[in-house]
Amino acid sequence: MGILSEMRDVWVQRRAKFFIIPSPAEDQKKLRAQQSSQEGIRAGLKAAAITGIFTAVPTLIAVRKVAWAKANLNHTAQALIISGGVF
């Protein structure tokens, strides 16, 4: 079809000539990498949840309970402050 597909075909044919046996160490490395990435995802989600709670609660309390904010900000402004503080 084109130059790129011809190059790909040549590369695949050249690669098929070599017979590579993976070592057990490679399987262990792959497993450790997968476990590490899953642990990182869990840790990130946990940190994001904790951060969201610790920022949302004080912001919500401040907007709803502080007299100045309650008197001078309408409900739309309060909602914008709350949503901006959470995210």
Side-chain angles (χ1 to χ4, degrees):
M1 292 280 229
I3 295 173
L4 294 177
S5 62
E6 291 173 4
M7 289 175 62
R8 183 194 67 221
D9 294 339
V10 169
W11 183 77
V12 169
Q13 290 173 356
R14 190 178 299 166
R15 188 169 181 225
K17 291 179 184 177
F18 299 108
F19 182 68
I20 300 173
I21 300 172
S23 70
E26 290 179 16
D27 293 335
Q28 292 173 352
K29 285 181 184 179
K30 185 177 178 182
L31 182 62
R32 278 194 310 251
Q34 186 179 10
Q35 289 173 347
S36 296
S37 63
Q38 288 176 354
E39 289 174 8
I41 291 169
R42 283 190 201 110
L45 287 173
K46 184 178 177 182
I50 291 171
T51 303
I53 290 170
F54 281 121
T55 57
V57 171
T59 305
L60 180 63
I61 291 171
V63 170
R64 295 292 183 194
K65 299 296 181 186
V66 173
W68 179 87
K70 201 170 180 183
N72 293 320
L73 298 174
N74 61 15
H75 293 291
T76 304
Q78 292 177 9
L80 288 171
I81 291 170
I82 292 168
S83 64
V86 173
F87 302 106

